[in-house]
Amino acid sequence: MVPHIRPAQLNQWLQQCAQQAPGVTPIVLDVREPWEVQTASVRPEGFELRHMPMASIPARLDELPRDRPIACLCHHGGRSAQVAYFLHRQGFDDVVNIAGGIHAWSSEVDPSVPQY
């Protein structure tokens, strides 16, 4: 089972990651399409932001480190949940889905992020 966190819980998740693996920078994996990332994006604070459209993940799996926590992000949380489950099935142990996606991020974390 892959845990789901809300955008407002991301800082708490980042703190847990820091306690479990000091010095390891978590990844927020944005699986939206390029035009979506251009429309609205998050500022990486306490994490590395990587963009890989959902359809490219299987072919680019080797680009993702298995030893770092990964939080998957999309528009509303559906695509990112699918990617999180896929990564988990591929042996990634520390994966969560950001439920509500960038839309909820705008409401819960940073209102300057446009909603679309």
Side-chain angles (χ1 to χ4, degrees):
M1 187 73 177
V2 174
H4 295 264
I5 61 170
R6 296 289 302 179
Q9 298 170 307
L10 183 68
N11 282 335
Q12 179 183 356
W13 179 78
L14 292 170
Q15 289 173 356
Q16 289 172 347
C17 292
Q19 290 172 351
Q20 293 170 356
V24 175
T25 303
I27 295 170
V28 170
L29 180 62
D30 191 330
V31 302
R32 296 175 299 143
E33 294 300 315
W35 72 267
E36 292 177 283
V37 174
Q38 289 176 343
T39 301
S41 191
V42 301
R43 277 180 255 137
E45 295 178 17
F47 58 87
E48 176 187 340
L49 181 62
R50 289 200 190 180
H51 174 242
M52 287 186 187
M54 179 179 175
S56 73
I57 300 286
R60 299 177 65 187
L61 200 57
D62 290 343
E63 295 177 37
L64 294 172
R66 294 176 184 271
D67 60 345
R68 290 172 61 187
I70 299 175
C72 298
L73 174 72
C74 70
H75 188 195
H76 287 290
R79 285 175 285 174
S80 56
Q82 291 178 13
V83 170
Y85 288 125
F86 173 77
L87 293 177
H88 183 71
R89 287 191 309 272
Q90 300 304 311
F92 289 79
D93 294 325
D94 199 354
V95 178
V96 300
N97 178 49
I98 301 176
I102 191 92
H103 187 82
W105 191 291
S106 177
S107 301
E108 297 176 14
V109 177
D110 185 357
S112 72
V113 173
Q115 291 186 345
Y116 63 98

